[in-house]
Amino acid sequence: MRNYSKYIIVGMFFISLSISGCKKSFLDQTPEASLPGVNFYRTEADIKQAVSGAYSSISDMGRVSYWLFGEMRSDNTTNQYNPSDRGFEQREFIDQFLVGATAEPLQLYWQQNYTGILRCNEILIRIDEVPMSAELKNQYKGEALFLRAFHYFNLVRQFGGVPLRLTPSQSPADARSKGRAAPEEVYAQVIIDLNTAAQNLPAKYSSAEIGRATQGAALSLLAKVYMTQKKFNEALTVLRKVQSLGYSLVSVYGDIFLPSNKNNSESVFEIQYLGSQPGLSSNFLYQFAPWSSGSIVTGDPGTTLGGGNGWNIPTQDMIDAYEAGDLRKDASLAEGYTDITGEFVKIPYVKKYNHGIIERGRTNDNFPVIRYADVLLMIAECLNEQGFIAGGEPFVLLNQIRTRAGLPVKTPGNAIAALSVDNQQAFRDAILQERRVELAFENHRWYDLVRSGKAVAVMTAHGQYEIAHKTTIPAGSYLLNTNKLLLPIPQKDVNLDNLTQNPQ
Amino acid sequence: MQKWSIISYLARVNYSYKEKYLFTGTIRTDGSSRFGSNKRYGTFPSAAIAWRISQEDFMKKADWISDLKLRATYGLSGNFNIGNYTFITNIGSSNYVLGGQLSGGRVPTSLNNPNLTWEESSQLDAGIDLGILKDRLYFNLDYYNRITKGMLYNSEIPLSSGYSNAIINSGKIQNKGFEFGLNSKNLQGDFTWNTSANIAFNRNKVLALNENNDPIYSGRSGEGSYQHITQVGHPVGEFFGYILEGVYKNQADLDNSPKHVTSVIGSVKYKDVDNNGIIEPVKDFAVIGSPQPDFTWGLTNTFGYKGFDLNILLVGSQGGQILKTANQYLLNIDGIFNVDRKVLNRWRSPENPGDGFTPTTNGSRVIYRDVNSSWVESASYMRIQNITLGYRFSEKFLRTSKIIKGARIYSSIQNLTTFTKYSGANPEVSRNTISGNAVSNALVPGEDFTNYPLPRTFTLGVNLTF
């Protein structure tokens, strides 16, 4: 046993690498083809790109989710049932108040808003360290705050209180939120953000920068927030500021939406699309065309229509809402199309965004978010909420919109009953009606119905009409109550973030 | 181009005493660029001992035992099989339009994780090797128990973070099992016949997942639902979906059963898992199967006679299941797809109910193409993996040639045929996910999403030695 050392084979001891002193840098590998976050948000150019990235959230959302939840859910539009392609059934469920917490479009809408919020938060926490002029820094901050407020305003109106995230997560360990904030907290933050944005943002941009959020956009959105909370005095104060910023109505209603007339004098804020760039174009023309219309509505014989088409179809009630002689009707919708056999097919469609295609599948139409006509109607509404005045400014504003549409003025004590507006409630109704037709298919109707307290009654009536006139409405559709005015929180976040679900 | 780097320090000690007692000790420390700056290094020691009983004096009498060895190993090992740069926030592009022109936009696309580190496994192995009759029969038996901690996987995170998932370390998973091998020289002499067989039993169980041990849902069906669930006490990545009970046979059946808003007579009838009277995706999902096989096996028979050699390799797997997610297309009954033949046997009327499990094409079509128990099939199979027949020319024959020293011609068939009840192309499946990230597959096993079938390969060959 003494000499078993001779059996020992020891000593294979090797160190494959020992570059002492440079261990850290040796293991620091960062991607070259894409940018790592640690090296981004450092220069003025980085921030400029980050702000454009934040805007891209709204162009993504604008393509479907924006109209799906703002317009198609309302009584203005519905969809054309497609028996041979059930691929978008969940969209129909949104229209029919059947949407469940696991629905894909619901989750996407939530996700798109929060992706936008993240992009804004990243800018907001980094920008202070970045060397650039104070003026530009303020502007970029203002834009990020405007966009964040826009997303939270969408969320709080559709879901109620939501997780309020004002800084980005730093690691998966803190990816959870603190739970749903109260709706008032969300509104309070939206108001703070929009006030700061309004202070920071310029009233106008040079033509190379046009499309960015302006002071007018922040103030108009802020007024909408106040009006949703029924704070009409606060809303009026900010709307008066918008009035001083030099906006004016475009004289011909249909011209407002022309791609050749983007960002016109009436435009307060619109989502920018560019038909010549594949990823940046819009395609409302296709989505809103009846799927049965072949190339007649789109003018594009190369694209076969199917499940992705026939959405946001105007209801009969919407068509009937236009008074005789309203010039806006023909600019906004068609009651049907003439097929190749020469027969008129009575499936109405939205044509506000039909200005031809640039390439197959691509159009150059922007989408309006806030127009000056909306601002004027908001002012009229706020004034009326302060107390009915027989005549005066509220009527002037209302009639300014009506006159452009080729309609006779509404007045107190008018000999024609339909044109007579004689008390506060009648003026409210007149405003809601005017907003419906003036702003049709611009994603205001649902929110107007909810904030006016009319959503349950109006949507119940709409549902009864739909059920009576269609055989394809599933059982249990349009069972409205106030709970149904809020969407369910996406199940994924209920599970992953332990959020309380809205009662359905 | 991507780059990654690893730095390793390794030390090993081998010790052997009279070829009877063997010991190996290893310790290594590895640092990887793929991990967060806080935790790049992992240290992984291991030790192995073996006792060669057949060398002991007291075994000398049992001369029919040619080899007998007991072995045990215990060690830690690390896994860094994730994509590069996953621990840092990556910035991608997402453009907008300003001034009527493209304005280049940049956005964060993944979440920073400075604490991302090695997935660590501790494994105990114990085995016995036994050779008898001069190794004419040789057995191995191995038992192993591997515990994997801090599993690297692509975890879902709340969407309100602005991201949908992130690579994290979490959970604890056990894999344990037996492996048994046998080599036998059945016939020796002019005609030789050797058999080599192995069989492996693995049991996989999740021991822990996260803080609250909430289940992890993974996968995504065409309708946006989860397809897999991983929960404590169960194997990883069980299939998760509706339980198909049949179709609504008549009005009374429809009236008295839980239903989806689109249900009609003859449409698909799923189990109301949460008992609320309404059929809804995810909420009415349950475990519907598991891809983990009971055992896998292989069998090789080699025959030789004079210059001829014949080799036949069979492999198989028993007891696992497949989730045929291609059914989201194959059972899309909207009428715009080519569909599975079984749709011929669909419900047409209460009098003509078909096979009782295939619904009418008139309603409720969307939930029928969401993940459900009719997609789960047995993945058991036996495959003739390879047959090779060769002939080696004798040296006598080759002596005439000055150049060629040896010559063999052979032909082989790879993947001759597979015996399985599985209706798809290949019962050995796994979907490659879009991210190209190895770990993201771990939680979505056993899915057949129109995988390519295995090719059958015929080979004719000549080996020449000069």
Side-chain angles (χ1 to χ4, degrees), chain A residues 165-187:
Chain A
R165 291 175 180 266
L166 304 175
T167 53
S169 301
Q170 294 302 318
S171 77
D174 74 348
R176 281 191 173 197
S177 71
K178 296 190 191 96
R180 293 178 66 181
E184 301 75 43
E185 291 175 72
V186 181
Y187 276 113

Side-chain angles (χ1 to χ4, degrees), chain B residues 107-125:
Chain B
V107 296
T109 55
S110 65
L111 179 55
N112 188 48
N113 185 0
N115 294 324
L116 195 70
T117 189
W118 293 85
E119 170 182 306
E120 190 179 276
S121 295
S122 63
Q123 179 158 338
L124 171 71
D125 259 296

Side-chain angles (χ1 to χ4, degrees), chain B residues 245-257 264-269 347-360:
Chain B
E245 292 187 323
V247 298
Y248 297 102
K249 294 185 185 72
N250 47 47
Q251 188 65 47
D253 190 9
L254 181 66
D255 292 346
N256 300 325
S257 308
V264 296
I265 301 170
S267 75
V268 66
K269 182 180 181 181
W347 187 96
R348 288 159 203 265
S349 68
E351 296 72 38
N352 189 1
D355 62 13
F357 290 94
T358 309
T360 172

Side-chain angles (χ1 to χ4, degrees), chain A residues 21 45 77 98 112 125 172 178 223 310 386 403 441 459 462 470 479:
Chain A
T77 58
L98 292 173
Q112 284 172 332
I125 62 153
K178 296 190 191 96
Q386 291 180 334
T403 308
F441 322 125
M459 293 313 297
H462 163 70
K470 288 180 181 171
L479 294 178

Side-chain angles (χ1 to χ4, degrees), chain A residues 414-425:
Chain A
N414 196 301
I416 302 163
L419 298 175
S420 187
V421 179
D422 299 301
N423 55 51
Q424 190 182 37
Q425 186 54 46

